[in-house]
Structures are given as C-alpha cells and as structure tokens.
Amino acid sequence: MCALLVGLPDVNVIGVGDWPRWLRVVVETPTGRPDCSCGGVVHRHGIREVEFVDLPVFGRSTRLVWRKQRWRCTTCGRCWCDDNAEIATTRCALTTRAARWSTLHVGRNGRAVSDVARELGCGWHTVMDAVVAIGEQLIDHPDRIGDVNALGLDETLFARLGRFRTQSWSTQIVDVRRGQLLDVVPGRTAVEPCRWLAARPQAWRDRIEWATLDLSNSYRSVFDTMLPLAVQVADPFHVHRLAGTALDECRRRVQNETMGHRGRKDDPLDRIRRRLSIAAERLTGDQHDRLIGLLRAGDPRQEVWFAWNAKEVVRQTYAHTDPDLADEWVAEIVRDFADESMPIEVRRLGRTIAKWASQITAWHRSHVSNGPTEAVNNLAKRIKRVAFGLVNFRHHRVRCLLYAGKPDWTLLPTIQP
C-alpha cells in the first residue's frame, strides 16, 4: 500500500517518518548485480542516501530519501551508484515528477515561483532551476515554431536595473496569425531580432508574407534587411494614436498661446480635451454642438478645429477595405496636410503618413495587425506582475515562452531535468 501511494516505478518503501516540517519517505530500488565494462567482478560497496524534494502528500511537504546501492569493480576500481531518471536525476534537488509538476504550474498556469516553492517546502532557486532545466527543453523543441505567414515585432519594458534604475527592454517576436510568442530577445534595437531571424532557415523566412510593426524605424530596418520579400503593415491602432497625439499637442499649444498658461478646468479647450478624442460618429447631437461652441470660444484661429478634422480623416482610412481607394485616400491626406494653412502638428503628421504610406495601405490587403503582439506583451507583463519584477533575462524568457509560446505540453512526461 505504501508503494502504491508513493507511486514511483520499481521502488520498495523502506519507511515513512513524521518530521516537524515534512514527511520523510525512504525508498530503495531492487536491482540485480550489474556488470562492469572491463568484465571484472562487481560487489556491493555500501549505501548512499540522497534526499530529494517530492510532491506534497495529503497537503504536507515531503522529502524522498533514496537509498542508492553503491557498487565497486574489483578489477578497475570504478565505483558507481544505482540510477533511475524517472525517480530523480543528478544535480536536481527535486524528484523528476516534482520538477515536471513545478514547470507545469509556473509555466502553463502562470503561478509565482515563491508560491510553488512554499507548497513544496523548499527554496525559490530550487524550483526555478528545475523550471529552467525542463522549460528550455520544451521551448527549444524544433517543432514548436512551425511555418509563419505573418510576423510581428514589439517591445516591452523588461526591468529597471542598477543603481540608477536604467530601463532594460525586450523584444517579442510573434506569429500574429496564431497569436503565438515565438521568442523573446533582449533590447529594442534591430541587432537581436536580426540575429534571431538569421538563425532561421532561408526557406522559413521566405514563407513570411506579412510583417507587422508599430511605426518603429528599428523594426522597419529588421524587415528591410532580413525579410525583403515580406510586405510591411503598419498597425492601425498606432496610426490612430499618432493622429490623436498630433491633436493633443495642437490643443496644448493653442491653450498656452491664447491663455498664457496650461489648461484649467474652466478653460474652453480644457473642458473638451476628452471629447476631442471621441470618434465623431459616437458624439450625440448635444455633445457635437457643445464641442463646436467651445472650439469657437477657445480656438480663435481654428487650429484645433483643423487638427480635429485631420484626426477624423485619418480614422476614415480604415472605414473600408478597398486597397485602391486607400491608396488614393492616403495620397490625398498627404497632399492636404502639407498645406501652409494647416497647424504645424498636422503638417508633421502629414510628413509621417507620407513616410509610412505603403505600410498604412498594406493593411487593406493583408488585414493583419500588431494586435496579437500587443496581447502577448500583456501576457509577458502579467508574468512580471506575478513575479513582482524579474531581473534575470533567462528566467524572463523561459517563463514568457512557457506561458505564451504554446509549447507541446504532451512532451512534458518525456523530458528529464
């Protein structure tokens, strides 16, 4: 009955002890006399007890003590012990099943390492070392990354390091069709993503048809260099935000020029700062009339009015899916925004749109965006919140890929720590 409860293959339970902090289960493996490679006579050479952290038993932390039989060859003098990887492996403080269980809870379920370590009754590093040992084999499996049709890049803040809290960034490489995190590389420059893509086979890179990005020159250079055949697609959300930022900058500038101070709650432009960001079709009749009235009161040169209309014109670029109409619309936007009568913020917006015109209109042909990449970034931030911050990039990469990289968890029972 004890052997059945312990649930390990080919072991005999010698005894179970009730210790103050955990249960102590002592086992041994009934093995026959082995043979030495030299052909000499082998005899027993004592017993070696090795203690491992095992899965909790009935809500209590458990230690598994393995009484390993030592053997010695009388001819060559070589000594060794019994070994069974399904029970435990050398240099791992957890049993094999406890290491797999920890990887499943920390990686797939996104639990805190400290929470799992508390349940097992061991230290944080004991659990994290096991998660890294098994997790890297899962995420580096060659079948995890299949064929990719659309690739996305985006950055997120990894940690603040050092005495001066220097920002350290990481770049997520995502399959935007399946919403799968392919890998995490350090920094937000073009160097590491280029190195990662260079390590992929040329045939794999040639299958990528679309490359999504968030109007970043660094990531644009990555795609220009490593994926010249892929069509680059600017993320619609970031195009909308660019227009909204131009409107907000224009409002703040006009506010300072007309009133001589920053916005206050009684100033006309400050009272409509939120209403300006709402889509025009979502405004009721009273809200629209109030918006126009306050613009007349606080915008004597109608600069904010022009910026608001420019924001709405940019939004209308994505009101349809006709590629030819989108090309004509963006060309018209670039031409109109360059007019000298426009505010400086609108003219700057027009120059940016002209620079990214082909990437903006490519959305109407591909219908892919950087939304899945942003969703993966949110999952990475969730891992960071659960961990109360991470400073080791290797740990950060393993935990993010286990959580959002969609590894094949059916391989877990076959992996040894």
Side-chain angles (χ1 to χ4, degrees), residues 201-258:
Q202 182 64 43
W204 184 87
R205 298 201 300 267
D206 292 341
R207 295 191 189 98
I208 299 177
E209 300 179 15
W210 311 102
T212 64
L213 69 166
D214 57 354
L215 307 183
S216 168
N217 288 320
S218 298
Y219 297 149
R220 184 178 185 177
S221 64
V222 172
F223 294 141
D224 289 340
T225 305
M226 303 306 301
L227 301 175
L229 301 179
V231 179
Q232 299 177 21
V233 182
D235 184 51
F237 167 77
H238 290 86
V239 177
H240 288 168
R241 190 175 69 172
L242 194 68
T245 301
L247 169 60
D248 202 43
E249 291 176 352
C250 180
R251 180 190 61 80
R252 290 198 297 265
R253 178 179 60 80
V254 173
Q255 167 71 33
N256 277 309
E257 290 177 355
T258 56

Side-chain angles (χ1 to χ4, degrees), residues 111-167:
R111 292 180 61 185
V113 177
S114 58
D115 188 18
V116 175
R118 189 180 305 111
E119 189 169 348
L120 292 176
C122 61
W124 185 94
H125 290 281
T126 303
V127 174
M128 194 66 224
D129 290 345
V131 171
V132 170
I134 292 182
E136 286 185 336
Q137 298 180 63
L138 278 174
I139 63 179
D140 293 336
H141 195 273
D143 295 335
R144 186 181 68 86
I145 301 177
D147 294 337
V148 178
N149 175 259
L151 189 73
L153 296 178
D154 200 11
E155 82 284 352
T156 187
L157 183 62
F158 157 55
R160 298 178 184 271
L161 305 175
R163 175 184 175 186
F164 299 103
R165 311 292 292 169
T166 305
Q167 291 183 342

Side-chain angles (χ1 to χ4, degrees), residues 76-97:
C76 63
R78 186 171 70 92
C79 294
W80 68 94
C81 293
D82 288 338
D83 194 16
N84 188 341
E86 283 301 317
I87 300 176
T89 56
T90 309
R91 299 183 181 276
C92 186
L94 274 67
T95 60
T96 299
R97 61 183 182 183

Side-chain angles (χ1 to χ4, degrees), residues 20 40 57 90 101 126 135 161 188 202 242 247 255 267 326 331 336 344 346-347 355 366-367 382 414:
V57 175
T90 309
W101 181 85
T126 303
L161 305 175
R188 56 174 176 175
Q202 182 64 43
L242 194 68
L247 169 60
Q255 167 71 33
D267 295 336
D336 291 347
I344 56 175
V346 175
R347 295 201 298 270
K355 179 181 177 182
S366 64
H367 300 287
R382 181 190 180 280
T414 65

